[in-house]
């Protein structure tokens, strides 16, 4: 298929002069709740909307607890602290991810170790994970020790790329066997399920993001989910400056963080959460449109939800034949005022992570050169 055909198709769907990759939609109670929040004067880190969001969110994803944070990165950072990841520990993740996953690991002074993804999910590969562990690691005193670095592999952070779930049940089984704490980076996968269970609820902890580009947004925001009461309490404590409840005294019992989601953001988020089902349906319909259009194309492959997954299709993606073809498509889209983006540069190719231990990353390298995101905003008729 000529790239121009796809460009024309995108224009016919969106009918806009400039077509962004992903625009938020505010079509519900956003202004009402924001006004109410302002009128209440509780705009900061205490307020009814924060409590409401946590209740609604845990019910929605099916976790016992949800703790709202200022963004997805702080949610991930807090999860790693809760997993007791310490300076010089190692954390396995994928090289094919947004930089925030690895930044959070680095905030602790821990090191990222990169294991390959599966081509069908674009998320961490259980097959490559077990191969890596069997080749490089051994269990000593219930800890996973990396024989190459002599460091402890404390945690594993798989990511559900563009809302498509990785094979998280297999990853969980491997992590349990190898005494590795599982944290899901579910920043992109709100509303996505694997084998009928919500992503983010397989690991001990899951982290979500509500950045402006996500399926729903609070401006900036995140949530940690868990079924573990102690971890939930500790999370709330850590993100509210580790302050001990007291009528008036400021007593803090450890170094804490100012990571609590403000009520103002929670008000916006609640209105967005009320529209989540509608957004997911719209995105799944958009995926059907793209897939139908590209069905017989040999050179542009539409990325569909992997087997066993029900995806939110947060960002729609296509796979092109080569890096040259990818660049050609990006140029043409740009010339036509259509925003499209290549998948992330692999983390081990960024300066900060260039010394990280990696497996061969064959699939990650293949996808890095070929995947492009195309306009994905919810279409309001
Ligand atoms: C995979 C992934 N992890 C983490 C984050 C960080 O979330 P935030 O931007 O809310 O800090 C994002 C999104 O921005 C993301 O896509």
């Amino acid at each position: 298929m000529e790239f121009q055909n796809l460009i024309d198709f995108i224009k016919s769907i969106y009918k806009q002069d400039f077509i962004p990759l992903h625009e938020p939609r505010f079509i519900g109670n956003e202004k009402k709740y924001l006004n109410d929040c302002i009128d209440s004067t509780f705009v900061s880190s205490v307020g009814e909307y924060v409590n409401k969001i946590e209740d609604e969110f845990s019910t929605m994803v099916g976790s016992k607890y949800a703790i709202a944070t200022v963004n997805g990165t702080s949610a991930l950072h807090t999860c790693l602290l809760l997993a007791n990841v310490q300076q010089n520990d190692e954390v396995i993740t994928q090289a094919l991810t947004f930089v925030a996953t690895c930044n959070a690991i680095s905030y602790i002074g821990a090191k990222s170790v990169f294991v390959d993804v599966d081509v069908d999910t674009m998320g961490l590969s259980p097959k490559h994970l077990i191969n890596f562990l069997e080749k490089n690691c051994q269990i000593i005193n219930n800890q996973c020790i990396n024989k190459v670095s002599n460091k402890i592999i404390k945690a594993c952070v798989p990511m559900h790329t563009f809302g498509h779930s990785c094979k998280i049940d297999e990853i969980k089984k491997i992590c349990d066997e190898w005494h590795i704490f599982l944290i899901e980076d579910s920043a992109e996968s709100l509303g996505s399920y694997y084998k009928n269970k919500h992503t983010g609820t397989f690991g001990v902890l899951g982290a979500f993001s509500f950045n402006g580009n996500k399926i729903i947004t609070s401006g900036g925001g995140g949530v940690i989910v868990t079924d573990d009461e102690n971890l939930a309490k500790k999370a709330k404590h850590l993100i509210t400056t580790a302050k001990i409840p007291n009528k008036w005294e400021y007593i803090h019992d450890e170094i804490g963080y100012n990571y609590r989601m403000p009520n103002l953001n929670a008000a916006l988020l609640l209105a967005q959460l009320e529209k989540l089902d509608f957004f997911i349906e719209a995105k799944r319909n958009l995926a059907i449109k793209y897939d139908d259009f590209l069905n017989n194309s040999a050179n542009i492959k539409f990325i569909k939800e992997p087997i066993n997954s029900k995806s939110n299709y947060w960002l729609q993606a296509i796979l092109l034949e080569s890096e040259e073809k990818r660049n050609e498509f990006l140029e043409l889209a740009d010339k036509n005022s259509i925003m499209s983006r290549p998948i992330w540069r692999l983390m081990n190719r960024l300066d900060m992570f260039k010394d990280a231990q990696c497996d061969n990353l064959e699939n990650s390298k293949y996808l890095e050169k070929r995947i492009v995101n195309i306009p994905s905003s919810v279409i309001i008729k």
Side-chain angles (χ1 to χ4, degrees), residues 12 25 39 42 51 68 80 84 99 111-113 133 136-137 147 153 175 217 237 247 253 272 282 320 329 340 354 364:
S12 76
R25 302 285 185 227
D39 289 344
F42 284 88
N51 301 335
L80 291 157
N84 198 27
V99 68
K111 297 262 177 303
S112 294
V113 171
L133 292 168
N136 298 296
C137 303
K147 290 183 280 184
I153 298 188
C175 285
T217 185
H237 185 62
K247 221 167 169 186
D253 63 353
Q272 288 266 287
L320 301 174
F329 181 84
S340 63
K354 67 177 188 299
S364 308

Side-chain angles (χ1 to χ4, degrees), residues 46-93:
V46 175
E48 272 315 298
Y49 284 105
V50 184
N51 301 335
K52 254 191 212 157
I53 248 327
E54 292 180 335
D55 286 348
E56 300 267 325
F57 200 87
S58 55
T59 308
M60 202 241 122
V61 303
S63 69
K64 283 197 183 140
Y65 307 96
I67 305 98
T69 61
V70 284
N71 52 43
T73 312
S74 62
L76 278 172
H77 181 198
T78 308
C79 288
L80 291 157
L81 291 165
L82 294 168
N84 198 27
V85 176
Q86 293 178 1
Q87 195 166 18
N88 293 322
D89 284 343
E90 291 181 340
V91 177
I92 291 178
T93 189

Side-chain angles (χ1 to χ4, degrees), residues 71-73 76 97-98 100-101 159 185 187-188 209-211 214 221:
N71 52 43
T73 312
L76 278 172
T97 185
F98 179 60
T101 320
M159 200 274 281
D185 184 342
E188 306 183 352
S209 163
F210 311 112
N211 185 271
K214 294 296 183 293

Side-chain angles (χ1 to χ4, degrees), residues 259-273:
Y259 278 176
R260 189 83 172 128
M261 179 186 282
N263 204 35
L264 203 56
N265 299 75
L268 185 62
L269 188 59
L270 185 65
Q272 288 266 287
L273 193 60

Side-chain angles (χ1 to χ4, degrees), residues 99-290:
V99 68
T101 320
C102 302
N103 281 345
I105 295 167
S106 301
Y107 294 166
I108 297 193
K111 297 262 177 303
S112 294
V113 171
F114 298 120
V115 168
D116 208 1
V117 295
D118 284 318
V119 170
D120 58 342
T121 68
M122 298 177 288
L124 194 74
S125 163
K127 193 179 103 206
H128 284 91
L129 178 61
I130 193 72
N131 285 348
F132 177 89
L133 292 168
E134 282 175 356
K135 187 168 157 221
N136 298 296
C137 303
Q138 61 182 338
I139 296 169
I140 303 174
N141 296 332
N142 291 335
Q143 288 187 316
C144 177
I145 306 295
N146 184 343
K147 290 183 280 184
V148 177
S149 62
N150 227 4
K151 291 186 173 153
I152 304 169
I153 298 188
K154 251 319 161 43
C156 174
V157 189
M159 200 274 281
H160 304 292
T161 304
F162 307 143
H164 300 301
S165 171
C166 62
K167 293 162 190 145
I168 189 68
D169 57 344
E170 289 177 49
I171 293 173
K172 178 178 159 45
K173 197 161 161 269
I174 297 167
C175 285
D176 287 348
E177 276 164 16
W178 282 83
H179 301 270
I180 297 172
F181 195 107
L182 179 59
I183 298 167
E184 286 174 77
D185 184 342
S186 310
E188 306 183 352
S189 68
L190 176 59
S192 298
Y193 293 78
Y194 186 71
K195 296 187 178 169
N196 296 322
K197 187 169 158 62
H198 201 291
T199 53
T201 64
F202 289 80
V204 189
L205 295 158
F208 292 84
S209 163
F210 311 112
N211 185 271
N213 66 359
K214 294 296 183 293
I215 190 157
I216 60 171
T217 185
S218 52
V223 151
I224 298 166
V225 296
T226 185
D227 283 342
D228 184 311
E229 186 182 358
N230 286 333
L231 289 179
K233 279 190 186 147
K234 181 97 199 274
K236 200 161 168 183
H237 185 62
L238 274 179
I239 66 169
T240 45
T241 64
K243 185 174 179 295
I244 305 275
N246 186 287
K247 221 167 169 186
W248 40 66
E249 287 224 64
Y250 295 102
I251 307 166
H252 308 260
D253 63 353
E254 61 185 304
I255 302 289
Y257 299 83
N258 183 11
Y259 278 176
R260 189 83 172 128
M261 179 186 282
N263 204 35
L264 203 56
N265 299 75
L268 185 62
L269 188 59
L270 185 65
Q272 288 266 287
L273 193 60
E274 290 170 354
K275 292 286 173 210
L276 180 64
D277 288 346
F278 171 77
F279 292 157
I280 291 172
E281 200 191 326
K283 278 173 179 286
R284 292 184 61 81
N285 285 337
L286 179 60
I288 292 172
K289 274 194 186 146
Y290 277 133

